Amino acid sequence: MPGKRLNVLVYAGNGCTIESVRHCVYSLRRLLSPYYAVLSVTGEAIIKEPWTASCALLVMPGGADLGYCRTLNGEGNRKISQYVERGGAYLGCCAGAYYGSGRCEFEVGDKLMEVVGDRELAFFPGTCRGCAFSGFVYHSEKGTKAVELRTDKTKLAEGSVPDVFRSYYNGGGVFVDAEKYRDKGVEVLASYTEKLNVDSGEGTAATVYCKVGEGAAVLTSPHPEFAPINLDPSATPEMPTIIEALAKDDTERSNFLKACLSKLGLHVNQEQNAVPSLSRLHLSSMKPATPEAIMSGLADIIVTKDGKEYIEDENDTFHLEKQSAWSLNSLKSALTGPAKDETDPPADAEDRILDYSDVVKRLLVHEKNAPSSKETPYFNHDAYFANLKYYQSQESGIDAEFGKHLLYGEVVTSTNTMLEKNTQLLRRLPSGFVASATVQVAGRGRGSNVWVSPAGSLIFSLVVRHETSLMQKAPVVFLQYLAALAIVEGIHSYDYETPTAYKKLPVKLKWPNDIYALDPTRPEYEKAYVKIGGILVNSHYSSEEYLAVIGIGLNTTNALPTTSLSALLKGRGAAFTLEKLLARTASKFSMLYSRFRDTGFNTYFEDMYYRHWLHTDQIVTLENAGGARARIKGITRDWGLLIAEELGWEDRPTGRIVELQSDFNSFDFFKGLLKRKV
């Protein structure tokens, strides 16, 4: 089941600085969305995790490369080298450039600063010598410069590459005699134009490209990933002047970085994506006046300041607005011009790195009727509630509460974060409450994974209050399986009038919580399934129940970065709409959950799950068990672990049955399986 390389991993372990990681993530997400997920990764993950198969680019940011050496020397560097040699890509910035060279010479002769030694990766076979300019001080902007770089446009054919531009610099080196290594696959992409503080040999190479086996590395001593908008003008007296110089060349800086990424084989978005501003949230219900019941349940956590009502929770602050007051604002906007439907950002906020927890979220309560299409142009509330009511009427055993209450925002941080991280709010919400969005700017995945979820995806989170008295019969761990079944079953029964078109869509489950689809761009003889959706379940124990938030993301009409439901449909039925699919998934989950409460994960659910999953008789290798092999046979009814029979000589069953669990941090669950004794 080969997959595409969709992850861009930014090292965030020992040695790097937080600011360098943030700058890398900020710039790369804007240039590579929606084609890749830009994620941070620890040194331990590089050493122990099977990250290479799904990684399109590994980034080593600025910091101090001795920290990188202490963590990654040996096994970590062996995996990095093997990854690049087999077709991977490496981007090293400043410290990451020193680290990617054959030898590091830093401030030679300065007893307090000197770092000298060979390096294991050696993508650039020579020496990176620094500091190229004087004045560097650790953890400071005192040595910062807006250095001028001259590019070699013959080596960077992609996009509008500048001849000369200024880039942020703070402590980087120069690649000594870089031109002499041309026969070893080295190309100079940019050179310093100013006099250097160290001997650079032939040339003044600031950024180099290095061919490494089937892959490549770009090492850059300046920081083209640092956007001036994110620099602190108060850091030093010279910083305002430096920022002004960098801002003048910001487009050229961005174009140079795009060209470097393209040279490494990445699909770059030539239209730089600014992260959109957070929008107003809208709370509505299937029946008018019902939102008021929810608000009355929140009364004890609502505070009043200057005549305005707020909920100040652990992660977010919500400014509550009533529909009647909003109507007056609408009248005012009709007379004076429309007001933007955005939340309150910091006063100086532009397209820069933001801590979204500091942004007050405006929440409009619709106590009279659902939001109009003018208020939420990308989501039709009337269509959603009408479809939900229809689906509920077509099936028995449905809890009518599921999907009945909806919190929607055109642009939000993360539907899961808004619910799960604000525990005062969560504890007062009814089971079946749904939060949905058109775009997420801080979507959450397993571990610390965060990314921008673009428009065209079905994005929502569902609240489930699961009593502890049900745990023996219906363990809460199975909620992720019910959610996966609700998605696939919901897709296959999307339309009752033309069921055949949807019933045959090749959508499958990958244990334990991913949705895969047959790649429609591949020929019949190259069948391959690609990920189109995922599920994240977080739960809190509260009193006598588990408060679970089930987060779901599903590529519906947006075919990037893999494929979408619309691409699978190929015009054979009515196009998917987010409103109808959300209603169908919520109603299907309601039916499945009601049955699960009564019966547990019995043969009815097992048969349904195995009908949709990808893994019957799949052979996996148990990496932490000496490379032993096992054949998957099913899942356990108690905790949903994989059941497998151990294989011996020539993959013959040994007669021993094992249970497998994931380490829950793996980039590929089936390359991170752990064997549990039974």
Side-chain angles (χ1 to χ4, degrees):
M1 194 168 47
K4 298 178 180 178
R5 290 183 169 184
L6 300 175
N7 291 335
V8 171
L9 305 181
V10 179
Y11 176 77
N14 186 29
C16 69
T17 66
I18 295 174
E19 283 304 306
S20 291
V21 172
R22 294 179 73 191
H23 278 282
C24 278
V25 171
Y26 171 89
S27 291
L28 292 174
R29 282 184 180 154
R30 279 152 182 75
L31 300 184
L32 298 177
S33 176
Y35 309 112
Y36 305 93
V38 180
L39 317 170
S40 60
V41 63
T42 64
E44 183 181 16
I46 287 178
I47 294 170
K48 296 181 179 180
E49 294 271 350
W51 53 272
T52 57
S54 59
C55 180
L57 174 68
L58 176 65
V59 183
M60 296 298 288
D65 97 313
L66 278 180
Y68 303 169
C69 294
R70 295 188 188 102
T71 300
L72 298 173
N73 273 359
E75 179 61 17
N77 286 337
R78 184 194 66 79
K79 289 186 71 173
I80 294 172
S81 294
Q82 188 179 75
Y83 157 72
V84 177
E85 288 169 358
R86 293 181 177 179
Y90 174 100
L91 175 63
C93 303
C94 198
Y98 284 114
Y99 188 64
S101 300
R103 182 173 176 81
C104 170
E105 294 183 0
F106 182 82
E107 293 295 277
V108 177
D110 186 327
K111 293 182 179 180
L112 296 177
M113 302 271 284
E114 180 178 281
V115 177
V116 178
D118 294 339
R119 296 294 182 260
E120 293 180 351
L121 294 180
F123 297 140
F124 174 69
T127 297
C128 185
R129 181 177 293 154
C131 295
F133 300 94
S134 61
F136 175 77
V137 178
Y138 276 113
H139 309 297
S140 168
E141 297 281 7
K142 290 183 179 179
T144 298
K145 289 176 62 68
V147 296
E148 186 179 78
L149 302 176
R150 183 174 300 280
T151 67
D152 186 341
K153 299 178 73 169
T154 65
K155 304 295 194 304
L156 293 166
E158 188 75 21
S160 302
V161 182
D163 292 310
V164 177
F165 73 100
R166 291 194 176 273
S167 176
Y168 177 95
Y169 167 92
N170 193 2
V174 61
F175 299 97
V176 179
D177 291 323
E179 293 288 356
K180 294 182 179 180
Y181 295 99
R182 281 179 289 182
D183 60 339
K184 294 186 178 181
V186 174
E187 301 175 14
V188 176
L189 305 184
S191 300
Y192 298 111
T193 65
E194 302 163 58
K195 184 179 179 180
L196 302 184
N197 191 49
V198 293
D199 181 9
S200 63
E202 181 181 326
T204 57
T207 303
V208 295
Y209 168 88
C210 310
K211 183 64 178 170
V212 184
E214 297 178 7
V218 167
L219 309 180
T220 177
S221 290
H223 287 276
E225 80 283 10
F226 273 43
I229 190 70
N230 293 317
L231 297 174
D232 181 6
S234 65
T236 67
E238 297 78 20
M239 280 302 288
T241 302
I242 293 171
I243 293 173
E244 183 180 1
L246 293 173
K248 290 179 180 178
D249 285 356
D250 194 44
T251 299
E252 289 76 11
R253 170 201 66 84
S254 179
N255 287 341
F256 176 74
L257 182 56
K258 291 177 186 178
C260 290
L261 294 170
S262 295
K263 192 169 182 70
L264 286 172
L266 278 82
H267 189 173
V268 179
N269 189 336
Q270 294 300 327
E271 298 296 327
Q272 182 168 321
N273 285 337
V275 172
S277 300
L278 301 183
S279 65
R280 177 180 277 104
L281 301 169
H282 298 266
L283 176 63
S284 60
S285 296
M286 183 182 290
K287 295 181 180 179
T290 318
E292 282 296 308
I294 292 181
M295 296 309 299
S296 64
L298 302 175
D300 60 326
I301 60 171
I302 296 175
V303 297
T304 301
K305 293 183 178 180
D306 298 325
K308 298 178 180 179
E309 293 183 331
Y310 296 88
I311 294 176
E312 297 177 340
D313 217 321
E314 294 177 21
N315 192 77
D316 295 303
T317 296
F318 301 92
H319 172 205
L320 305 180
E321 301 175 329
K322 296 295 180 66
Q323 193 173 15
S324 54
W326 177 240
S327 296
L328 293 176
N329 289 336
S330 299
L331 176 60
K332 181 180 178 181
S333 69
L335 297 173
T336 62
K340 290 186 177 180
D341 186 26
E342 297 175 354
T343 56
D344 303 330
D348 64 342
E350 297 179 54
D351 181 25
R352 66 172 73 215
I353 297 171
L354 287 177
D355 183 348
Y356 286 108
S357 62
D358 292 337
V359 180
V360 176
K361 285 75 180 176
R362 296 163 65 185
L363 196 164
L364 176 59
V365 182
H366 293 261
E367 71 271 22
K368 295 182 179 180
N369 44 51
S372 69
S373 58
K374 290 184 178 180
E375 292 173 279
T376 59
Y378 295 98
F379 190 89
N380 188 322
H381 283 73
D382 289 335
Y384 165 71
F385 287 124
N387 278 294
L388 181 65
K389 184 176 181 180
Y390 172 76
Y391 287 130
Q392 289 177 344
S393 70
Q394 297 299 306
E395 294 195 56
S396 59
I398 283 185
D399 183 347
E401 293 299 307
F402 274 77
K404 169 182 170 183
H405 306 291
L406 177 66
L407 179 67
Y408 168 80
E410 181 182 326
V411 182
V412 306
T413 51
S414 159
T415 57
N416 253 43
T417 297
M418 284 196 302
L419 299 181
E420 192 255 331
K421 295 296 184 182
N422 293 301
T423 54
Q424 293 189 77
L425 175 65
L426 177 61
R427 288 170 184 162
R428 292 163 175 81
L429 294 177
S431 196
F433 185 91
V434 172
S436 185
T438 297
V439 174
Q440 289 186 146
V441 295
R444 292 176 58 202
R446 288 181 288 115
S448 60
N449 294 348
V450 180
W451 62 87
V452 176
S453 303
S457 299
L458 176 62
I459 305 165
F460 73 99
S461 297
L462 178 68
V463 176
V464 178
R465 307 182 76 105
H466 192 73
E467 301 96 315
T468 54
S469 59
L470 296 171
M471 284 296 290
Q472 187 170 358
K473 175 176 61 176
V476 71
V477 70
F478 280 99
L479 290 181
Q480 63 182 334
Y481 300 111
L482 298 184
L485 288 173
I487 293 169
V488 177
E489 288 281 314
I491 291 169
H492 287 166
S493 60
Y494 176 79
D495 192 283
Y496 286 118
E497 295 182 2
T498 56
T500 305
Y502 305 93
K503 188 74 174 177
K504 294 182 178 180
L505 289 182
V507 180
K508 296 288 186 180
L509 306 178
K510 180 181 178 184
W511 181 87
N513 55 8
D514 285 333
I515 310 300
Y516 272 61
L518 194 64
D519 189 345
T521 65
R522 298 283 190 94
E524 186 69 22
Y525 60 86
E526 286 185 4
K527 281 188 176 181
Y529 280 86
V530 293
K531 183 176 177 179
I532 63 167
I535 300 161
L536 176 67
V537 181
N538 296 103
S539 61
H540 298 264
Y541 178 74
S542 177
S543 185
E544 297 182 351
E545 64 182 1
Y546 283 93
L547 280 171
V549 177
I550 305 173
I552 293 173
L554 185 67
N555 286 5
T556 305
T557 61
N558 179 16
L560 296 173
T562 54
T563 190
S564 67
L565 294 178
S566 294
L568 296 177
L569 197 57
K570 296 179 179 179
R572 289 189 290 264
F576 283 99
T577 68
L578 299 179
E579 297 88 348
K580 187 173 180 178
L581 187 58
L582 175 58
R584 187 63 189 123
T585 307
S587 62
K588 183 60 71 172
F589 181 88
S590 174
M591 186 273 289
L592 295 173
Y593 179 65
S594 295
R595 183 163 186 155
F596 171 69
R597 288 168 55 89
D598 294 335
T599 67
F601 205 82
N602 61 5
T603 55
Y604 169 83
F605 288 104
E606 285 181 336
D607 291 344
M608 183 185 297
Y609 193 80
Y610 297 150
R611 188 165 66 246
H612 295 310
W613 83 335
L614 288 165
H615 310 302
T616 300
D617 291 332
Q618 179 180 347
I619 294 177
V620 297
T621 300
L622 309 181
E623 294 188 346
N624 75 325
R629 288 161 66 84
R631 179 179 286 112
I632 296 174
K633 305 304 291 184
I635 59 175
T636 65
R637 290 188 181 180
D638 53 0
W639 299 110
L641 304 179
L642 286 178
I643 302 170
E645 57 182 5
E646 195 173 62
L647 302 177
W649 178 254
E650 294 182 342
D651 284 343
R652 295 176 182 174
T654 64
R656 186 181 180 204
I657 300 298
V658 297
E659 292 179 1
L660 306 176
Q661 63 185 19
S662 168
D663 62 8
F664 292 103
N665 289 305
S666 180
F667 289 90
D668 185 341
F669 279 107
F670 288 91
K671 291 187 178 179
L673 291 170
L674 309 174
K675 182 167 68 175
R676 192 182 79 162
K677 294 180 180 179
V678 294

